[in-house]
Amino acid sequence: MTKQNKQRTLRLFALHEFIQDHFTKSDWIKVAYLTDSLDLIEDHPRLLRSLDFKDDDYEGNSLQVLSKLISESSSNLYEIEHFIEAKKATMHRSVRDVPDFISTVQSREPERVITFAPDVFRIPDKPVESNILSVMMPFESRFSGTYTAIRNVCDRLSIECKRADDIWDNSILIQDVFDLIFTSRAVITDFTDRNPNVFYETGVAHTLGKLVIPITQSASDIPFDLRHHRALTYLPNTEGLLKLETDLEKKLAKVFS
């Protein structure tokens, strides 16, 4: 075997290895049109049938057809190589473009994946942090005791607790809020007094598939559409906040275990 023939044979084997692992019926038909070999491929008694049924003889059938295509014309080798390079590039983009799985409600990725492109936010180039709890509540001094109670629980459980006013990574506050929800393992939302910002942030958290833990000083403040979600109620006094700590510790210990 000459050196040229040997190189050609090695190229044939490399193509066949890829074709055997990745080619579909549609790919074979495309190759047929590219090489003007529709009769050879469509009329082959076993090639496409063995591919469809995943029969053991597909390996031999595909090698036989590929070898015949290349032997009939040297240009066919280049056409098939270029087609496969284009297919590899498409496969690479498809793998690269699959978004990170950021949901913390589901334990495994669902079969159906929805890609979204928001106008108001930028998707942060950050991973989900398994030990971060974010808190969505009004930025008012009368909620400082509530936030302190949450932080006390987090300190005992070695959880990193964050609120949007604890960070300043972006010039727009809502982007910081979105980044925080995006990267959190779980989100606490305080529905007390029906704060519209908290409602909005809860919707963002649910859309991102985050585990949301609602708390409130009054069950009547929870929107009707969310009343099927269990919420922790508390009173904003010393005894009530201590009870909130106890209830939250039980919940967060399970979530962050």
Side-chain angles (χ1 to χ4, degrees):
M1 180 183 292
T2 65
K3 184 177 181 180
Q4 183 178 6
N5 286 339
K6 184 177 181 179
Q7 289 178 341
R8 184 170 173 157
T9 300
L10 291 175
R11 289 163 68 185
L12 166 67
F13 288 162
L15 291 176
H16 178 249
E17 184 175 349
F18 179 86
I19 286 171
Q20 184 181 339
D21 292 338
H22 300 290
F23 254 37
T24 64
K25 184 175 181 178
S26 175
D27 291 326
W28 274 114
I29 300 301
K30 290 175 183 176
V31 166
Y33 279 109
L34 286 171
T35 58
D36 195 22
S37 306
L38 196 59
D39 290 343
L40 171 63
I41 290 175
E42 283 197 326
D43 294 342
H44 190 281
R46 289 292 300 160
L47 175 66
L48 299 182
R49 181 177 176 83
S50 60
L51 171 60
D52 284 339
F53 289 93
K54 297 180 173 59
D55 290 337
D56 293 338
D57 61 336
Y58 174 66
E59 180 179 0
N61 294 327
S62 56
L63 181 59
Q64 179 193 55
V65 172
L66 183 62
S67 178
K68 186 171 181 57
L69 285 172
I70 292 174
S71 65
E72 286 182 348
S73 171
S74 59
S75 64
N76 285 347
L77 176 59
Y78 296 101
E79 291 288 355
I80 298 170
E81 284 180 331
H82 290 160
F83 176 79
I84 286 180
E85 286 303 314
K87 184 173 176 67
K88 285 180 179 178
T90 302
M91 291 170 59
H92 177 71
R93 285 196 300 271
S94 298
V95 171
R96 182 193 62 194
D97 293 342
V98 171
D100 293 331
F101 186 64
I102 63 168
S103 172
T104 56
V105 175
Q106 299 286 345
S107 59
R108 61 182 179 84
E109 295 189 31
E111 294 181 1
R112 183 185 181 197
V113 177
I114 298 174
T115 302
F116 71 102
D119 291 330
V120 178
F121 313 111
R122 288 180 291 102
I123 304 298
D125 187 17
K126 302 174 182 178
V128 176
E129 300 289 348
S130 61
N131 200 46
I132 288 184
L133 170 75
S134 60
V135 181
M136 303 295 142
M137 59 168 49
F139 297 154
E140 299 176 21
S141 58
R142 64 192 183 91
F143 286 93
S144 59
T146 307
Y147 190 42
T148 298
I150 296 171
R151 292 183 68 93
N152 288 342
V153 174
C154 290
D155 288 343
R156 290 197 291 272
L157 297 176
S158 299
I159 298 169
E160 189 174 356
C161 178
K162 290 185 177 182
R163 198 167 63 171
D165 57 341
D166 293 330
I167 57 177
W168 193 350
D169 293 336
N170 300 279
S171 59
I172 302 174
L173 175 61
I174 192 61
Q175 184 63 50
D176 280 334
V177 172
F178 184 81
D179 286 12
L180 181 55
I181 295 173
F182 186 95
T183 57
S184 296
R185 169 76 175 276
V187 182
I188 288 180
T189 57
D190 193 330
F191 288 132
T192 302
D193 292 346
R194 294 176 169 261
N195 184 279
N197 291 331
V198 174
F199 287 174
Y200 183 82
E201 291 152 4
T202 302
V204 171
H206 281 155
T207 301
L208 292 178
K210 295 300 176 177
L211 196 154
V212 177
I213 303 170
I215 65 173
T216 182
Q217 293 175 21
S218 173
S220 62
D221 285 337
I222 299 176
F224 176 79
D225 289 346
L226 294 177
R227 287 182 186 172
H228 61 287
H229 291 273
R230 295 184 63 181
L232 300 178
T233 57
Y234 71 95
L235 295 175
N237 54 34
T238 302
E239 183 179 355
L241 293 175
L242 286 174
K243 183 178 183 302
L244 176 63
E245 288 190 27
T246 300
D247 293 341
L248 268 180
E249 188 163 357
K250 293 177 183 177
K251 179 68 173 177
L252 294 180
K254 293 180 181 178
V255 171
F256 287 85
S257 61

